[in-house]
């Protein structure tokens, strides 16, 4: 299978840092996406990792370890507007160009 | 760039009727479009993959005769929910993809909220 696992919910305080972990099965793995989705809206692209290491984009960073089947999304200097679901999605060679999504992590930012 | 639109954004219909949802790539040609369904507080579930000019490939458990997909051009795919029932009420999201445009990245439409009474 191609199970994508991520925590269901996380709560953090405004201004803090939160790390959302995502694990996947390494067999046939191609690349990993992170999307942000606010309630009732479509997902918006945050990051794409193919190579090992950390990719930083402003307050958001994403990390990938291909050998460990592990990625995380790091949200820094949290703002109230960051309250949303964060979806981890992986592409696998055997699946062509399809993405397999994790269950999503709901992040609640409190004042 | 890479904008995808969906129409309608919200639809309410009676049980037994059919509903058509359009997905358009506005500023690029999409060789592949995907249709997802999302129930409240759940993640996206892929329903089918649609390639321009060919039949859609449906995921296991998705009835192809109930969810008709047409991808007649490189910028338009339609999903028709036939004989809709209350259990079909969901958020339907399309995405578009094309080789050479940001790798495997899928560009998502804004979604269509379907409520079947």
């Amino acid at each position: 299978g191609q199970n994508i696992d991520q925590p269901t919910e996380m709560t953090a305080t405004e201004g803090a840092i939160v790390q959302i972990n995502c694990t996947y099965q390494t067999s046939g793995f191609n690349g990993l996406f992170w999307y942000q989705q606010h309630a009732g809206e479509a997902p918006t692209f945050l990051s794409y990792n193919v190579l090992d290491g950390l990719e930083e984009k402003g307050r958001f960073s994403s990390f990938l370890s291909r050998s460990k089947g592990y990625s995380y999304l790091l949200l820094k200097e949290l703002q109230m507007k960051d309250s949303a679901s964060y979806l981890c999605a992986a592409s696998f060679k055997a699946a062509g160009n399809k993405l397999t999504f994790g269950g999503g992590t709901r992040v609640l930012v409190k004042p | 760039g890479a904008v995808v639109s969906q129409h309608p954004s919200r639809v309410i219909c009676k049980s037994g009727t059919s509903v058509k949802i359009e997905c358009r790539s506005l500023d690029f040609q999409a060789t592949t479009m995907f249709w997802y369904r999302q129930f409240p507080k759940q993640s996206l579930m892929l329903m089918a993959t649609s390639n321009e000019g060919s039949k859609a490939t449906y995921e296991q458990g998705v009835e192809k005769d109930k969810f008709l997909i047409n991808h007649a051009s490189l910028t338009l795919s339609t999903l028709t929910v036939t004989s809709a029932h209350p259990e079909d009420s969901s958020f339907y999201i399309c995405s578009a993809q094309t080789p050479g445009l940001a790798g495997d990245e899928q560009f998502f439409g804004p979604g269509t909220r379907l409520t079947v009474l």
Side-chain angles (χ1 to χ4, degrees):
Chain A
Q2 298 168 342
N3 290 344
I4 313 294
D5 293 316
Q6 54 181 126
T8 306
E9 285 188 358
M10 302 182 76
T11 302
T13 306
E14 194 175 13
I17 298 173
V18 70
Q19 177 174 313
I20 306 170
N21 297 325
C22 173
T23 59
Y24 59 88
Q25 297 194 344
T26 58
S27 177
F29 171 76
N30 196 20
L32 192 123
F33 291 85
W34 283 97
Y35 287 89
Q36 179 191 60
Q37 186 181 27
H38 285 98
E41 298 180 12
T44 55
F45 172 81
L46 291 178
S47 66
Y48 177 48
N49 292 69
V50 175
L51 302 176
D52 285 349
L54 186 69
E55 299 260 352
E56 297 188 74
K57 276 187 185 180
R59 294 190 299 114
F60 293 1
S61 303
S62 58
F63 172 84
L64 179 69
S65 169
R66 297 182 66 94
S67 62
K68 294 182 179 178
Y70 167 68
S71 172
Y72 67 73
L73 180 69
L74 194 69
L75 314 180
K76 294 182 281 190
E77 301 168 21
L78 279 172
Q79 301 175 8
M80 298 299 289
K81 66 178 182 180
D82 297 330
S83 292
S85 284
Y86 292 86
L87 309 177
C88 172
S91 62
F92 295 89
K93 295 181 180 69
N97 49 3
K98 296 192 295 187
L99 292 180
T100 303
F101 281 84
T105 300
R106 284 195 301 280
V107 172
L108 176 62
V109 181
K110 294 185 174 180
Chain B
V3 178
V4 177
S5 70
Q6 265 183 257
H7 178 80
S9 58
R10 190 179 293 269
V11 58
I12 301 173
C13 69
K14 293 182 179 179
S15 186
T17 60
S18 293
V19 175
K20 181 187 281 189
I21 303 170
E22 292 185 349
C23 177
R24 293 181 187 272
S25 57
L26 298 184
D27 51 2
F28 68 102
Q29 294 186 324
T31 52
T32 305
M33 287 184 171
F34 302 88
W35 286 96
Y36 295 87
R37 181 166 52 182
Q38 186 176 35
F39 293 106
K41 296 189 178 181
Q42 294 186 23
S43 191
L44 279 71
M45 295 299 296
L46 180 65
M47 299 175 67
T49 302
S50 168
N51 290 296
E52 186 266 337
S54 61
K55 289 184 179 179
T57 303
Y58 290 80
E59 295 299 302
Q60 192 172 10
V62 178
E63 300 175 56
K64 62 180 181 181
D65 294 330
K66 180 170 180 64
F67 299 100
L68 301 179
I69 291 171
N70 183 281
H71 193 162
S73 77
L74 285 171
T75 59
L76 173 64
S77 177
T78 60
L79 168 68
T80 302
V81 183
T82 61
S83 187
H85 291 284
E87 58 266 29
D88 299 324
S89 298
S90 187
F91 192 47
Y92 290 86
I93 306 174
C94 73
S95 70
Q97 184 186 70
T98 198
L101 186 67
D104 294 334
E105 183 179 350
Q106 295 181 20
F107 300 93
F108 287 88
T112 297
R113 175 77 58 193
L114 170 64
T115 303
V116 185
L117 302 176

